[in-house]
Coordinates of all heavy atoms in Angstrom, one line a residue:
M630 N 118.4 28.4 62.9 CA 118.7 27.8 64.2 C 119.7 26.6 63.9 O 119.5 25.8 63.1 CB 117.3 27.2 64.6 CG 117.4 26.4 65.9 SD 115.8 26.0 66.4 CE 116.1 25.1 67.8
K631 N 120.8 26.6 64.7 CA 121.8 25.6 64.6 C 121.5 24.4 65.5 O 121.0 24.6 66.6 CB 123.1 26.3 65.0 CG 123.7 27.3 64.0 CD 125.1 27.6 64.5 CE 125.7 28.5 63.5 NZ 127.1 28.8 63.9
P632 N 121.9 23.2 65.0 CA 121.7 22.0 65.8 C 122.7 22.1 67.0 O 123.8 22.6 66.9 CB 122.0 20.9 65.0 CG 122.5 21.4 63.7 CD 122.4 22.9 63.7
T633 N 122.2 21.7 68.2 CA 123.0 21.6 69.3 C 123.1 20.2 69.8 O 122.2 19.4 69.7 CB 122.5 22.5 70.5 OG1 121.2 22.1 70.8 CG2 122.4 24.0 70.1
K634 N 124.2 20.0 70.6 CA 124.4 18.6 71.2 C 124.0 18.7 72.6 O 124.5 19.5 73.4 CB 125.8 18.2 71.0 CG 126.1 16.8 71.5 CD 127.6 16.4 71.2 CE 127.8 15.0 71.7 NZ 129.2 14.6 71.5
E635 N 123.1 17.7 73.0 CA 122.7 17.7 74.4 C 123.9 17.2 75.3 O 124.6 16.3 74.9 CB 121.5 16.8 74.5 CG 120.3 17.3 73.9 CD 119.6 18.4 74.6 OE1 119.8 18.4 75.9 OE2 119.1 19.2 74.0
T636 N 124.0 17.7 76.4 CA 125.1 17.2 77.3 C 124.6 16.1 78.1 O 125.4 15.4 78.7 CB 125.5 18.4 78.2 OG1 124.4 18.9 79.0 CG2 126.2 19.5 77.4
D637 N 123.3 15.9 78.3 CA 122.7 14.8 79.0 C 122.8 13.5 78.2 O 122.5 13.5 77.0 CB 121.3 15.0 79.5 CG 121.3 16.2 80.4 OD1 122.2 16.5 81.1 OD2 120.1 16.8 80.5
H638 N 123.1 12.4 78.8 CA 123.2 11.1 78.1 C 122.0 10.3 78.4 O 121.8 9.9 79.6 CB 124.5 10.3 78.4 CG 125.6 11.1 78.0 ND1 126.0 11.3 76.7 CD2 126.6 11.8 78.7 CE1 127.1 12.0 76.6 NE2 127.5 12.3 77.8
A639 N 121.1 10.1 77.5 CA 119.8 9.3 77.8 C 120.1 7.9 78.2 O 119.4 7.4 79.1 CB 119.0 9.3 76.6
I640 N 121.1 7.3 77.7 CA 121.4 5.9 78.1 C 121.7 5.8 79.6 O 121.4 4.8 80.2 CB 122.5 5.3 77.2 CG1 122.6 3.7 77.4 CG2 123.8 5.9 77.5 CD1 121.5 3.0 76.8
V641 N 122.4 6.8 80.1 CA 122.8 6.7 81.5 C 121.5 6.9 82.4 O 121.4 6.2 83.4 CB 123.8 7.9 81.8 CG1 124.0 8.0 83.3 CG2 125.1 7.7 81.1
D642 N 120.6 7.7 81.9 CA 119.3 7.9 82.6 C 118.5 6.6 82.6 O 117.9 6.2 83.6 CB 118.5 9.0 82.1 CG 119.2 10.4 82.3 OD1 119.9 10.5 83.2 OD2 118.9 11.3 81.5
V643 N 118.5 5.9 81.4 CA 117.8 4.6 81.3 C 118.4 3.6 82.2 O 117.7 2.9 82.9 CB 117.7 4.2 79.8 CG1 117.2 2.7 79.7 CG2 117.0 5.1 79.0
L644 N 119.7 3.5 82.2 CA 120.4 2.5 83.1 C 120.1 2.8 84.5 O 119.9 1.9 85.3 CB 121.8 2.4 82.8 CG 122.3 1.8 81.5 CD1 123.7 1.9 81.3 CD2 121.8 0.3 81.5
D645 N 120.1 4.1 84.9 CA 119.9 4.5 86.3 C 118.5 4.0 86.7 O 118.3 3.4 87.8 CB 120.0 6.0 86.4 CG 119.8 6.5 87.8 OD1 120.4 5.8 88.8 OD2 119.1 7.4 88.1
V646 N 117.5 4.2 85.9 CA 116.1 3.9 86.2 C 116.0 2.4 86.3 O 115.3 1.8 87.2 CB 115.1 4.5 85.2 CG1 113.7 3.9 85.3 CG2 115.0 6.0 85.3
L647 N 116.6 1.7 85.3 CA 116.6 0.1 85.3 C 117.2 -0.4 86.6 O 116.6 -1.3 87.2 CB 117.3 -0.4 84.1 CG 116.5 -0.5 82.8 CD1 117.3 -1.0 81.7 CD2 115.3 -1.4 83.0
L648 N 118.3 0.1 87.0 CA 119.0 -0.5 88.2 C 118.2 -0.1 89.4 O 118.1 -0.9 90.4 CB 120.4 0.0 88.2 CG 121.3 -0.5 87.1 CD1 122.7 0.0 87.2 CD2 121.4 -2.0 87.2
R649 N 117.7 1.1 89.5 CA 117.0 1.6 90.7 C 115.6 1.1 90.8 O 115.2 0.6 91.8 CB 117.0 3.1 90.7 CG 116.5 3.8 92.0 CD 116.7 5.3 92.0 NE 117.0 5.9 90.7 CZ 116.0 6.4 90.0 NH1 114.7 6.5 90.3 NH2 116.3 7.0 88.8
E650 N 114.8 1.2 89.8 CA 113.4 0.8 89.8 C 113.2 -0.6 89.3 O 112.3 -1.3 89.7 CB 112.6 1.8 88.9 CG 112.7 3.2 89.4 CD 112.1 3.4 90.8 OE1 111.1 2.7 91.1 OE2 112.6 4.3 91.5
G651 N 113.9 -1.0 88.3 CA 113.7 -2.4 87.7 C 112.7 -2.4 86.6 O 112.0 -1.4 86.4
A652 N 112.7 -3.5 85.8 CA 111.7 -3.7 84.7 C 111.4 -5.2 84.6 O 112.3 -6.0 84.8 CB 112.2 -3.1 83.4
M653 N 110.1 -5.5 84.3 CA 109.7 -6.8 84.1 C 109.4 -6.9 82.6 O 108.6 -6.0 82.1 CB 108.5 -7.2 84.9 CG 108.8 -7.3 86.4 SD 109.8 -8.8 86.8 CE 108.8 -10.1 86.4
I654 N 109.9 -7.9 82.0 CA 109.6 -8.1 80.5 C 108.9 -9.5 80.4 O 109.4 -10.5 80.9 CB 110.9 -8.1 79.7 CG1 111.5 -6.7 79.8 CG2 110.6 -8.4 78.2 CD1 112.9 -6.6 79.2
Q655 N 107.8 -9.6 79.8 CA 107.1 -10.8 79.6 C 106.7 -11.0 78.1 O 106.2 -10.0 77.6 CB 105.9 -10.9 80.5 CG 105.2 -12.3 80.4 CD 104.1 -12.5 81.4 OE1 104.0 -11.6 82.3 NE2 103.4 -13.6 81.4
A656 N 106.9 -12.1 77.6 CA 106.6 -12.3 76.1 C 106.1 -13.8 75.9 O 106.7 -14.7 76.5 CB 107.7 -12.1 75.2
D657 N 105.0 -14.0 75.2 CA 104.5 -15.2 74.8 C 104.7 -15.4 73.4 O 104.2 -14.6 72.6 CB 103.0 -15.4 75.2 CG 102.8 -15.4 76.7 OD1 103.7 -15.9 77.5 OD2 101.8 -14.8 77.2
V658 N 105.3 -16.5 73.0 CA 105.6 -16.7 71.5 C 104.9 -18.0 71.2 O 105.1 -19.0 71.9 CB 107.1 -16.8 71.3 CG1 107.4 -17.0 69.8 CG2 107.8 -15.5 71.7
L659 N 104.2 -18.0 70.1 CA 103.6 -19.2 69.6 C 104.0 -19.4 68.2 O 103.8 -18.6 67.3 CB 102.1 -19.1 69.7 CG 101.2 -20.3 69.3 CD1 101.6 -21.5 70.2 CD2 99.8 -20.0 69.3
I660 N 104.7 -20.6 67.9 CA 105.2 -20.9 66.6 C 104.2 -21.9 65.9 O 103.9 -22.9 66.4 CB 106.6 -21.5 66.6 CG1 107.5 -20.5 67.2 CG2 107.0 -21.9 65.2 CD1 108.9 -21.1 67.5
T661 N 103.6 -21.4 64.8 CA 102.7 -22.2 64.1 C 103.0 -22.4 62.6 O 103.8 -21.7 62.1 CB 101.3 -21.5 64.1 OG1 101.4 -20.3 63.3 CG2 100.7 -21.3 65.4
V662 N 102.7 -23.6 62.1 CA 102.9 -23.9 60.7 C 101.6 -24.3 60.1 O 100.9 -25.3 60.7 CB 103.9 -25.0 60.5 CG1 104.0 -25.4 59.1 CG2 105.3 -24.6 61.0
A663 N 101.1 -23.7 59.1 CA 99.8 -24.0 58.5 C 98.7 -24.0 59.5 O 97.8 -24.8 59.5 CB 99.9 -25.4 57.8
D664 N 98.7 -22.9 60.3 CA 97.7 -22.7 61.4 C 97.6 -23.8 62.4 O 96.6 -24.0 63.1 CB 96.3 -22.5 60.7 CG 96.1 -21.2 60.1 OD1 96.9 -20.2 60.5 OD2 95.3 -21.1 59.1
I665 N 98.7 -24.6 62.5 CA 98.8 -25.6 63.5 C 99.8 -25.2 64.5 O 101.0 -25.0 64.2 CB 99.2 -27.0 62.9 CG1 98.2 -27.4 61.9 CG2 99.4 -28.1 64.0 CD1 98.5 -28.7 61.1
P666 N 99.5 -25.0 65.8 CA 100.5 -24.5 66.8 C 101.4 -25.6 67.1 O 101.0 -26.8 67.4 CB 99.6 -24.1 68.0 CG 98.3 -24.8 67.7 CD 98.2 -25.0 66.3
L667 N 102.7 -25.4 67.0 CA 103.7 -26.4 67.2 C 104.5 -26.2 68.5 O 104.8 -27.1 69.2 CB 104.7 -26.5 66.0 CG 104.1 -26.8 64.7 CD1 105.2 -26.8 63.7 CD2 103.5 -28.2 64.8
V668 N 104.9 -24.9 68.8 CA 105.7 -24.7 69.9 C 105.2 -23.4 70.6 O 104.9 -22.4 70.0 CB 107.2 -24.5 69.5 CG1 108.1 -24.1 70.7 CG2 107.8 -25.7 68.8
G669 N 105.1 -23.5 71.9 CA 104.8 -22.3 72.7 C 105.9 -22.0 73.6 O 106.5 -22.8 74.3
I670 N 106.3 -20.7 73.7 CA 107.4 -20.2 74.5 C 106.9 -19.1 75.4 O 106.2 -18.2 74.9 CB 108.6 -19.7 73.7 CG1 109.0 -20.9 72.7 CG2 109.7 -19.3 74.5 CD1 110.0 -20.3 71.7
N671 N 107.1 -19.2 76.7 CA 106.8 -18.2 77.6 C 108.1 -17.6 78.2 O 108.8 -18.4 78.9 CB 105.9 -18.8 78.8 CG 105.6 -17.7 79.8 OD1 106.4 -17.2 80.5 ND2 104.3 -17.4 79.8
L672 N 108.4 -16.4 77.9 CA 109.6 -15.7 78.3 C 109.3 -14.7 79.4 O 108.4 -13.9 79.2 CB 110.3 -15.1 77.2 CG 110.6 -16.0 76.0 CD1 111.1 -15.1 74.8 CD2 111.7 -17.0 76.3
Q673 N 110.1 -14.8 80.5 CA 109.9 -13.7 81.5 C 111.3 -13.3 82.0 O 112.3 -14.1 82.1 CB 109.2 -14.3 82.7 CG 107.8 -14.6 82.4 CD 107.1 -15.2 83.6 OE1 107.7 -15.5 84.6 NE2 105.8 -15.3 83.6
A674 N 111.5 -12.0 82.2 CA 112.8 -11.5 82.6 C 112.6 -10.3 83.5 O 111.7 -9.5 83.4 CB 113.7 -11.0 81.4
A675 N 113.5 -10.3 84.5 CA 113.4 -9.2 85.5 C 114.8 -8.6 85.4 O 115.8 -9.2 85.5 CB 113.1 -9.7 86.9
I676 N 114.8 -7.2 85.2 CA 116.1 -6.5 85.1 C 116.1 -5.4 86.1 O 115.2 -4.6 86.2 CB 116.2 -5.8 83.6 CG1 116.1 -6.9 82.6 CG2 117.5 -5.1 83.6 CD1 116.0 -6.3 81.1
A677 N 117.1 -5.5 87.0 CA 117.2 -4.5 88.1 C 118.5 -4.7 88.7 O 119.2 -5.7 88.6 CB 116.1 -4.6 89.1
G678 N 119.0 -3.8 89.6 CA 120.1 -3.9 90.4 C 119.9 -4.9 91.5 O 118.7 -5.2 91.8
M679 N 120.9 -5.5 92.0 CA 120.8 -6.6 93.1 C 120.0 -6.0 94.3 O 119.2 -6.8 94.9 CB 122.1 -7.1 93.5 CG 122.7 -8.1 92.4 SD 121.6 -9.4 92.0 CE 121.5 -10.3 93.5
T680 N 120.2 -4.8 94.6 CA 119.5 -4.2 95.8 C 118.0 -4.2 95.5 O 117.2 -4.6 96.4 CB 120.0 -2.8 96.1 OG1 121.4 -2.8 96.3 CG2 119.3 -2.2 97.3
T681 N 117.6 -3.8 94.4 CA 116.2 -3.7 94.0 C 115.6 -5.2 93.9 O 114.5 -5.4 94.4 CB 116.0 -3.0 92.7 OG1 116.6 -1.7 92.8 CG2 114.5 -2.9 92.3
M682 N 116.4 -6.1 93.3 CA 116.0 -7.5 93.2 C 115.6 -8.1 94.6 O 114.6 -8.7 94.8 CB 117.0 -8.4 92.5 CG 117.1 -8.0 91.0 SD 115.7 -8.6 90.1 CE 116.4 -9.2 88.7
T683 N 116.6 -7.9 95.5 CA 116.3 -8.5 96.8 C 115.2 -7.8 97.6 O 114.5 -8.4 98.4 CB 117.6 -8.4 97.7 OG1 118.1 -7.1 97.8 CG2 118.7 -9.3 97.1
E684 N 114.9 -6.5 97.3 CA 113.8 -5.8 98.0 C 112.5 -6.4 97.5 O 111.5 -6.5 98.2 CB 113.8 -4.3 97.6 CG 114.9 -3.5 98.4 CD 115.0 -2.1 97.9 OE1 114.1 -1.6 97.0 OE2 115.8 -1.3 98.4
Y685 N 112.4 -6.8 96.2 CA 111.2 -7.4 95.6 C 111.1 -8.9 95.8 O 110.2 -9.5 95.3 CB 111.1 -7.1 94.1 CG 110.7 -5.6 93.9 CD1 111.6 -4.7 93.4 CD2 109.4 -5.2 94.1 CE1 111.2 -3.4 93.2 CE2 109.0 -3.9 93.9 CZ 109.9 -3.0 93.5 OH 109.5 -1.7 93.3
G686 N 112.1 -9.5 96.5 CA 112.0 -11.0 96.8 C 112.7 -11.8 95.8 O 112.6 -13.1 96.0
F687 N 113.4 -11.2 94.8 CA 114.2 -12.1 93.9 C 115.5 -12.4 94.5 O 116.1 -11.5 95.2 CB 114.3 -11.4 92.5 CG 113.0 -11.2 91.8 CD1 112.4 -10.0 91.9 CD2 112.5 -12.2 91.1 CE1 111.2 -9.8 91.1 CE2 111.3 -12.1 90.3 CZ 110.7 -10.9 90.4
F688 N 116.1 -13.5 94.3 CA 117.5 -13.8 94.7 C 117.6 -13.7 96.3 O 118.6 -13.3 96.8 CB 118.5 -12.9 94.1 CG 118.6 -13.0 92.6 CD1 118.1 -12.0 91.8 CD2 119.1 -14.1 92.0 CE1 118.1 -12.0 90.4 CE2 119.1 -14.2 90.6 CZ 118.7 -13.1 89.8
E689 N 116.5 -14.1 97.0 CA 116.6 -14.0 98.5 C 117.7 -14.9 99.0 O 118.4 -14.5 100.0 CB 115.3 -14.4 99.0 CG 114.2 -13.3 98.8 CD 112.8 -13.8 99.4 OE1 112.6 -15.0 99.5 OE2 112.0 -12.9 99.7
N690 N 117.8 -16.1 98.5 CA 118.8 -17.0 99.0 C 120.1 -17.0 98.1 O 120.9 -17.9 98.3 CB 118.2 -18.4 99.1 CG 117.1 -18.4 100.1 OD1 117.1 -17.8 101.1 ND2 116.1 -19.1 99.7
W691 N 120.2 -16.1 97.2 CA 121.4 -16.1 96.2 C 122.7 -16.0 97.0 O 123.6 -16.8 96.7 CB 121.2 -14.9 95.3 CG 122.3 -14.8 94.3 CD1 122.4 -15.5 93.1 CD2 123.5 -13.9 94.4 NE1 123.6 -15.1 92.6 CE2 124.2 -14.2 93.2 CE3 123.9 -13.0 95.3 CZ2 125.4 -13.5 93.0 CZ3 125.0 -12.3 95.1 CH2 125.8 -12.5 94.0
D692 N 122.8 -15.1 97.9 CA 124.1 -14.9 98.6 C 124.4 -16.1 99.5 O 125.5 -16.6 99.5 CB 124.0 -13.6 99.5 CG 125.4 -13.3 100.1 OD1 126.4 -13.3 99.3 OD2 125.5 -13.1 101.3
V693 N 123.4 -16.7 100.1 CA 123.6 -17.9 100.9 C 124.0 -19.1 100.1 O 125.0 -19.7 100.5 CB 122.3 -18.2 101.8 CG1 122.4 -19.5 102.5 CG2 121.9 -17.0 102.6
E694 N 123.4 -19.2 99.0 CA 123.7 -20.3 98.1 C 125.1 -20.2 97.5 O 125.9 -21.1 97.4 CB 122.7 -20.5 96.9 CG 121.4 -20.9 97.4 CD 120.3 -20.9 96.3 OE1 120.6 -20.7 95.1 OE2 119.1 -21.0 96.7
K695 N 125.5 -19.0 97.1 CA 126.8 -18.7 96.6 C 127.9 -18.9 97.6 O 128.9 -19.6 97.3 CB 126.9 -17.3 96.0 CG 126.2 -17.1 94.7 CD 126.8 -17.9 93.6 CE 126.0 -17.7 92.3 NZ 126.4 -18.5 91.3
R696 N 127.7 -18.5 98.7 CA 128.6 -18.7 99.8 C 128.8 -20.2 100.2 O 129.9 -20.7 100.3 CB 128.2 -17.9 101.1 CG 128.4 -16.5 101.0 CD 128.0 -15.8 102.3 NE 128.0 -14.4 102.1 CZ 129.0 -13.6 102.5 NH1 130.0 -14.1 103.0 NH2 128.9 -12.3 102.3
R697 N 127.6 -21.0 100.2 CA 127.7 -22.4 100.4 C 128.5 -23.1 99.3 O 129.3 -24.0 99.6 CB 126.3 -23.0 100.6 CG 126.3 -24.5 101.0 CD 124.9 -25.0 100.9 NE 124.2 -24.8 99.7 CZ 124.3 -25.4 98.5 NH1 125.3 -26.3 98.5 NH2 123.6 -25.1 97.5
M698 N 128.2 -22.7 98.1 CA 128.9 -23.4 97.0 C 130.4 -23.1 97.1 O 131.2 -24.0 96.8 CB 128.3 -22.9 95.7 CG 127.0 -23.4 95.3 SD 126.1 -22.7 93.9 CE 127.4 -22.7 92.7
S699 N 130.7 -21.9 97.4 CA 132.1 -21.5 97.6 C 132.8 -22.3 98.6 O 133.9 -22.8 98.5 CB 132.3 -20.0 97.8 OG 133.6 -19.6 98.0
E700 N 132.1 -22.5 99.8 CA 132.7 -23.2 100.9 C 132.9 -24.7 100.5 O 133.8 -25.3 100.8 CB 131.8 -23.1 102.2 CG 131.9 -21.7 102.8 CD 130.8 -21.5 103.9 OE1 130.1 -22.4 104.1 OE2 130.8 -20.4 104.5
D701 N 131.8 -25.2 99.8 CA 132.0 -26.6 99.3 C 133.1 -26.8 98.4 O 133.9 -27.8 98.5 CB 130.7 -27.0 98.7 CG 129.5 -27.2 99.6 OD1 129.8 -27.2 100.9 OD2 128.3 -27.3 99.1
R702 N 133.3 -25.8 97.5 CA 134.4 -25.9 96.5 C 135.8 -25.9 97.2 O 136.7 -26.6 96.9 CB 134.3 -24.8 95.5 CG 134.8 -25.1 94.2 CD 134.5 -24.0 93.1 NE 133.1 -23.7 93.1 CZ 132.7 -22.4 93.1 NH1 133.6 -21.4 93.4 NH2 131.4 -22.1 93.1
H703 N 135.9 -25.0 98.2 CA 137.1 -24.9 99.0 C 137.4 -26.1 99.8 O 138.5 -26.5 99.9 CB 137.1 -23.6 99.9 CG 137.2 -22.3 99.2 ND1 138.3 -22.0 98.4 CD2 136.4 -21.3 99.1 CE1 138.1 -20.8 97.8 NE2 137.0 -20.3 98.3
A704 N 136.3 -26.7 100.4 CA 136.5 -28.0 101.1 C 136.9 -29.1 100.2 O 137.7 -29.9 100.6 CB 135.2 -28.2 101.8
E705 N 136.4 -29.1 99.0 CA 136.7 -30.1 98.0 C 138.2 -30.0 97.6 O 138.9 -31.0 97.6 CB 135.8 -30.1 96.8 CG 136.2 -31.1 95.8 CD 135.4 -30.9 94.5 OE1 134.3 -30.3 94.5 OE2 135.8 -31.4 93.4
F706 N 138.6 -28.8 97.4 CA 140.0 -28.6 97.0 C 140.9 -29.0 98.2 O 142.0 -29.4 98.1 CB 140.3 -27.2 96.5 CG 139.8 -26.9 95.2 CD1 138.9 -25.8 95.0 CD2 140.0 -27.8 94.1 CE1 138.4 -25.5 93.7 CE2 139.4 -27.5 92.8 CZ 138.6 -26.4 92.7
G707 N 140.5 -28.7 99.4 CA 141.3 -29.0 100.6 C 141.5 -30.5 100.8 O 142.5 -30.9 101.3
R708 N 140.6 -31.4 100.3 CA 140.7 -32.8 100.4 C 141.6 -33.5 99.4 O 142.0 -34.5 99.6 CB 139.3 -33.4 100.4 CG 138.4 -33.2 101.6 CD 137.2 -34.1 101.5 NE 136.4 -33.8 100.4 CZ 135.3 -33.0 100.4 NH1 135.0 -32.4 101.5 NH2 134.6 -32.8 99.4
R709 N 141.8 -32.8 98.4 CA 142.7 -33.3 97.3 C 144.2 -33.3 97.7 O 144.6 -32.4 98.4 CB 142.5 -32.4 96.0 CG 141.2 -32.6 95.4 CD 141.2 -31.8 94.1 NE 139.8 -31.9 93.5 CZ 139.5 -31.3 92.4 NH1 140.3 -30.4 91.8 NH2 138.3 -31.5 92.0
P710 N 144.9 -34.3 97.4 CA 146.3 -34.3 97.7 C 147.0 -33.2 97.0 O 146.7 -32.8 95.8 CB 146.8 -35.7 97.2 CG 145.8 -36.1 96.2 CD 144.5 -35.5 96.6
S711 N 148.0 -32.6 97.6 CA 148.7 -31.5 97.0 C 149.6 -32.1 95.9 O 150.1 -33.2 96.0 CB 149.6 -30.8 98.0 OG 150.5 -31.7 98.6
P712 N 149.8 -31.3 94.8 CA 150.6 -31.9 93.7 C 152.1 -32.2 94.1 O 152.6 -31.4 95.0 CB 150.5 -30.8 92.6 CG 150.1 -29.6 93.4 CD 149.3 -30.0 94.6
R713 N 152.7 -33.1 93.6 CA 154.1 -33.4 93.9 C 155.0 -32.5 93.1 O 154.8 -32.2 91.9 CB 154.4 -34.8 93.5 CG 153.7 -35.9 94.3 CD 154.1 -37.2 93.9 NE 154.3 -38.0 95.1 CZ 154.8 -39.2 95.2 NH1 155.1 -39.8 94.1 NH2 155.0 -39.8 96.3
V714 N 156.0 -32.0 93.8 CA 157.0 -31.2 93.2 C 158.1 -32.1 92.7 O 158.7 -32.8 93.5 CB 157.5 -30.1 94.2 CG1 158.5 -29.2 93.6 CG2 156.3 -29.3 94.8
P715 N 158.5 -31.9 91.5 CA 159.6 -32.8 91.0 C 160.9 -32.5 91.7 O 161.2 -31.3 92.0 CB 159.7 -32.5 89.5 CG 158.8 -31.3 89.2 CD 157.9 -31.1 90.4
H716 N 161.7 -33.5 91.9 CA 162.9 -33.3 92.6 C 163.9 -32.8 91.6 O 163.9 -33.0 90.4 CB 163.4 -34.6 93.2 CG 162.6 -35.2 94.3 ND1 162.5 -34.6 95.4 CD2 161.7 -36.3 94.3 CE1 161.6 -35.3 96.2 NE2 161.1 -36.3 95.4
S717 N 164.9 -32.0 92.2 CA 165.9 -31.5 91.3 C 167.0 -32.6 91.0 O 167.0 -33.6 91.6 CB 166.6 -30.3 92.0 OG 167.2 -30.7 93.2
D718 N 167.8 -32.3 90.1 CA 168.9 -33.4 89.7 C 169.8 -33.7 90.8 O 170.2 -34.7 91.0 CB 169.7 -32.8 88.5 CG 168.9 -32.7 87.3 OD1 167.9 -33.5 87.2 OD2 169.2 -32.0 86.3
S719 N 170.1 -32.7 91.7 CA 170.9 -32.9 92.9 C 170.3 -33.9 93.8 O 171.0 -34.7 94.5 CB 171.3 -31.6 93.5 OG 170.1 -31.0 94.1
D720 N 169.0 -33.9 93.9 CA 168.3 -34.8 94.9 C 168.4 -36.3 94.4 O 168.6 -37.2 95.1 CB 166.8 -34.4 95.0 CG 166.6 -33.2 95.8 OD1 167.6 -32.7 96.5 OD2 165.5 -32.6 95.8
S721 N 168.3 -36.4 93.0 CA 168.3 -37.8 92.4 C 169.7 -38.4 92.5 O 169.9 -39.6 92.6 CB 167.9 -37.8 91.0 OG 168.8 -36.9 90.2
D722 N 170.8 -37.5 92.6 CA 172.2 -38.0 92.7 C 172.4 -38.6 94.1 O 173.3 -39.5 94.3 CB 173.2 -36.9 92.4 CG 173.1 -36.5 90.9 OD1 172.6 -37.3 90.1 OD2 173.6 -35.3 90.6
E723 N 171.7 -38.1 95.1 CA 172.0 -38.5 96.4 C 171.4 -39.8 96.7 O 171.7 -40.5 97.6 CB 171.4 -37.4 97.5 CG 172.1 -36.1 97.4 CD 171.4 -35.1 98.3 OE1 170.4 -35.4 98.9 OE2 171.8 -34.0 98.3
R724 N 170.5 -40.3 95.9 CA 169.8 -41.6 96.1 C 170.6 -42.7 95.7 O 171.4 -43.0 95.1 CB 168.5 -41.7 95.4 CG 167.4 -40.8 96.0 CD 166.2 -40.9 95.3 NE 165.3 -39.8 95.6 CZ 164.2 -39.6 95.1 NH1 163.7 -40.4 94.1 NH2 163.4 -38.6 95.4

């Protein structure tokens, strides 16, 4: 029997499921020295496509907040004075 190469790519299938269905990862880490707990870490991550995230209630206001921040940034730049353009040598001779 000769080895064959699969034409399906497993990583593509994994990414498809992650983006479509999503995954929740939770980990609790406790760092101890000499049986004395020093640091506790609680890690949580949600991995999914944006459509799935919004369906489950994550990032509900994300688009609104990003648009508001963008409008604020544009308004801030609009209030700044425009940069001065240096005059050419011919303009300085006329003065």
